[in-house]
Amino acid sequence: MTERVIYESSNGDVWLLSREPVSKMPAVKHRPNVSSGGRSSYTEIGNFLRNGASGPEHQALLQLIGTLLDG
């Protein structure tokens, strides 16, 4: 499975554009830092953007989506 880093925070959390393992639908994978438990979770892209579009990881995803429209 190919994943693309969307954003890496200064505390070690990472958000990736990925696919949800069961449904294979595009999703945002959050890989928290080790001190937060380090257990990855998946969120459908629309839900991810609706639930906090002002965070830097949300803005980074919107910028990535925007690059698909450039040209």
Side-chain angles (χ1 to χ4, degrees):
M1 174 184 348
T2 302
E3 296 179 324
R4 183 166 177 174
V5 173
I6 298 169
Y7 183 77
E8 295 183 55
S9 71
S10 59
N11 72 353
D13 284 10
V14 179
W15 288 264
L16 305 108
L17 186 57
S18 184
R19 291 194 180 271
E20 198 281 328
V22 175
S23 71
K24 305 298 184 208
M25 295 297 295
V28 174
K29 178 181 179 180
H30 176 224
R31 191 171 60 214
N33 63 41
V34 176
S35 65
S36 294
R39 186 178 170 108
S40 295
S41 63
Y42 294 84
T43 305
E44 185 271 328
I45 292 171
N47 287 339
F48 178 78
L49 291 172
R50 278 190 295 276
N51 295 329
S54 61
E57 63 275 16
H58 301 91
Q59 295 301 311
L61 177 58
L62 289 170
Q63 287 178 332
L64 175 60
I65 292 169
T67 66
L68 301 173
L69 301 173
D70 292 341

